[in-house]
Amino acid sequence: MATGTQDMVNYGLIGCGMMGREHIQNINLLPQGRVSVVYDPVEDLAKSAAILAGKDGAAAPAHVAATLDDLLSFEDLDAVVIVSPNNIHMDQLRQIVAKRPMPILCEKPLYTDPADAAELDTLFKGYPHPVWVAMEYRYMPPVAALIEQAEQATGGIAMLTIREHRFPFLPKIGDWNRFNENTGGTLVEKCCHFFDLMRVILQSEPVRVMASAGQNFNHVDEDYDGRRPDIWDNGYVIIDFASGARAMLELCMFAEGSQYQEEISAVGPKGKIECLVPGPGRFWPAKLGPAPVPQLIISPRAPKGPITMDIPVDPTLLEAGDHNGSTFYQHQRFNAVVRGQGGVEVTVSDGAKAVAMGLAAQHSAATGQAVDLTART
């Protein structure tokens, strides 16, 4: 494994779709990182990703592995990044642990089948390498600013609200993201990010989940070999936390006309803090002028008067992906950990808890019943 501050970390990329390309573009920005080998069952995707890893022809392309076994056998390999469809993450994690244990950055969600939850602890018990779950929303500059200042601005958070008003699920290879059996359901696939943020912002654990959600407009006319997509496109989730705080998620996936995609607010006895995060710049209509700039707003109870601050993101990072620079900051930290500097900030336990919250929300919305998370531990 790479060690020391001057060493290059050679990455293997598993999955070369849209998000895989974002990972490559951000690793390309790291002075001590490069993608040396890629694998995807769709050969054209893998070849294209290999060229991108060579900085679009400015350097030698990455090696294209024929199989995951082939990738894991590649000599010049220090860490792997899993960017495959949700439902095969666990099988690939098992394969890495069994064949060639090494540092892992795994895209969310860690798992989709509730039966896999118990295995995670066993799989990584005593694992000698860092495992980082890709909850990159923590590292969006406006969200990071809110996390850092929330306690002081609120005097202790009593209510936390996360609103995401966005575009529908994008097309994926094989249309895997159209079906709950592959994604874990919308409240797992999309929303585990937000459940992770709730735990981080509140510094507390969830105890009860209530949800209402459904599929009203998106993908209802699509047909895949006689099957209609069953992923939900909107919902509300309310979560009680052990600290006494309450949190709510509001998701709408037919609201791409919104100025901001994510809006987070935290309120306590001293006041309110909120951040506004725009969606991907490539979706912003050029005729409307420059895309919105992220903002942080602090609204004390006394003296009244909101304080609004722009939290701009480096344009280079905006060009490298759809997540307001957060993928780069995540990779910057993971790269340092692989080189022996610092520790894992988003652990297997963090990733598993976010999925458990999502699965509980899916169950609550499907049954109309609240889910007691304390009874599940």
Side-chain angles (χ1 to χ4, degrees), residues 70-333:
D70 184 23
L71 179 143
L72 294 174
S73 299
F74 191 70
E75 183 177 354
D76 235 3
L77 183 61
D78 302 307
V80 290
V81 182
I82 298 175
V83 206
S84 53
N86 298 357
N87 59 319
I88 58 177
H89 289 175
M90 280 295 294
D91 281 343
Q92 292 173 339
L93 288 168
R94 293 183 189 107
Q95 198 167 343
I96 295 164
V97 171
K99 177 161 185 176
R100 189 172 172 184
M102 67 176 65
I104 301 168
L105 190 150
C106 183
E107 265 297 343
K108 58 77 193 167
L110 271 179
Y111 67 95
T112 57
D113 184 347
D116 287 332
E119 185 187 348
L120 277 169
D121 286 339
T122 303
L123 188 63
F124 290 108
K125 185 177 182 179
Y127 191 71
H129 304 285
V131 182
W132 188 299
V133 183
M135 295 293 190
E136 70 273 2
Y137 279 44
R138 296 183 182 199
Y139 303 109
M140 291 179 174
V143 177
L146 182 145
I147 292 170
E148 182 180 6
Q149 300 180 47
E151 183 68 23
Q152 181 179 358
T154 64
I157 301 169
M159 299 178 69
L160 174 66
T161 302
I162 299 177
R163 170 189 288 172
E164 182 172 65
H165 283 190
R166 57 161 280 167
F167 50 91
F169 282 117
L170 296 173
K172 300 283 186 178
I173 297 296
D175 306 301
W176 66 267
N177 67 340
R178 295 305 196 250
F179 299 97
N180 290 335
E181 66 185 21
N182 299 326
T183 67
T186 298
L187 300 180
V188 172
E189 150 56 31
K190 186 72 209 68
C191 302
C192 60
H193 277 304
F194 304 124
F195 301 135
D196 176 67
L197 283 179
M198 289 176 182
R199 291 183 58 250
V200 170
I201 294 169
L202 294 174
Q203 290 295 292
S204 184
E205 298 297 335
V207 295
R208 189 172 65 147
V209 177
M210 298 159 281
S212 175
Q215 181 186 16
N216 288 83
F217 302 110
N218 294 350
H219 318 300
V220 294
D221 296 324
E222 297 175 5
D223 183 276
Y224 301 94
D225 296 325
R227 301 176 66 204
R228 196 192 84 171
D230 59 1
I231 49 170
W232 297 341
D233 58 19
N234 70 100
Y236 292 102
V237 182
I238 298 174
I239 303 178
D240 293 332
F241 281 79
S243 64
R246 296 177 178 87
M248 185 182 79
L249 168 68
E250 177 186 327
L251 174 72
C252 180
M253 298 188 69
F254 42 88
E256 59 266 45
S258 304
Q259 183 178 21
Y260 290 99
Q261 182 167 290
E262 286 90 22
E263 302 179 17
I264 303 175
S265 68
V267 189
K270 284 179 58 178
K272 177 172 74 170
I273 184 171
E274 56 192 319
C275 69
L276 309 177
V277 185
R282 63 193 175 101
F283 293 155
W284 184 256
K287 67 181 181 181
L288 298 180
V293 175
Q295 291 187 334
L296 184 75
I297 305 167
I298 299 175
S299 304
R301 295 179 72 184
K304 293 180 181 177
I307 303 163
T308 300
M309 294 160 276
D310 286 347
I311 310 290
V313 179
D314 184 336
T316 300
L317 303 186
L318 292 177
E319 285 292 320
D322 289 339
H323 296 88
N324 281 273
S326 61
T327 302
F328 173 77
Y329 294 121
Q330 171 183 259
H331 269 294
Q332 193 176 51
R333 288 164 167 80

Side-chain angles (χ1 to χ4, degrees), residues 7-19:
D7 290 338
M8 180 65 67
V9 177
N10 294 293
Y11 294 84
L13 189 83
I14 304 168
C16 300
M18 182 185 68
M19 194 62 201

